[in-house]
Amino acid sequence: MSVVEISKGIVGLLLLLGAVLSLLSAIGMIRLPDVYTRSHAATKSSTLGVLCILTGAFLYFWWVKGIFSAGLLLGIVFVFVTAPVAGHLICRAAYHIQVPLWEKSVQDDLKQYYTQNQELHSNK
């Protein structure tokens, strides 16, 4: 086996893993019950899926074609930084406008925090 064949195998595995993670993310977006769990599926698995695909493309061009793609590298960093932050902000906004949790949710960690802050702001 040559180095190029091994490189193509690694790239193929990364692309396949990215596609499977993106598929799982899409299934999670359809099947999960509320905005908070859907946001989790959208940010965690799809971010990892896109990162695997972009990393596979970056490694393919670098190892096989001999091209170092700064654009792909910047895309990897951009997705890694922005997607989880956007998911967090969407969930936070949904909580602020009081989108209800799924009826079978057992824990609401933010409820105590927001009731304390509302009492503090109403006393001022």
Side-chain angles (χ1 to χ4, degrees):
M1 278 191 140
S2 70
V3 175
V4 173
E5 290 176 8
I6 294 172
S7 301
K8 286 181 181 180
I10 292 171
V11 167
L13 286 175
L14 280 172
L15 294 177
L16 184 63
L17 178 64
V20 168
L21 287 169
S22 296
L23 176 67
L24 288 174
S25 176
I27 292 170
M29 289 291 294
I30 294 169
R31 300 277 303 167
L32 293 173
D34 64 349
V35 67
Y36 307 105
T37 54
R38 287 182 189 147
S39 176
H40 182 77
T43 56
K44 302 294 184 198
S45 57
S46 67
T47 299
L48 190 56
V50 169
L51 288 177
C52 284
I53 291 170
L54 289 176
T55 303
F58 175 77
L59 292 176
Y60 174 78
F61 285 115
W62 189 24
W63 289 344
V64 177
K65 300 290 185 184
I67 300 169
F68 184 84
S69 177
L72 279 172
L73 204 56
L74 286 173
I76 291 168
V77 171
F78 182 74
V79 168
F80 185 72
V81 170
T82 59
V85 173
H88 173 77
L89 290 176
I90 289 169
C91 283
R92 190 171 178 177
Y95 197 85
H96 275 291
I97 63 170
Q98 298 175 350
V99 174
L101 295 170
W102 182 41
E103 64 269 359
K104 293 185 181 179
S105 294
V106 288
Q107 188 172 353
D108 184 3
D109 291 335
L110 293 176
K111 187 175 186 177
Q112 180 183 3
Y113 173 76
Y114 281 113
T115 54
Q116 287 175 352
N117 281 345
Q118 287 175 354
E119 289 173 5
L120 289 174
H121 290 299
S122 64
N123 291 336
K124 288 184 179 181

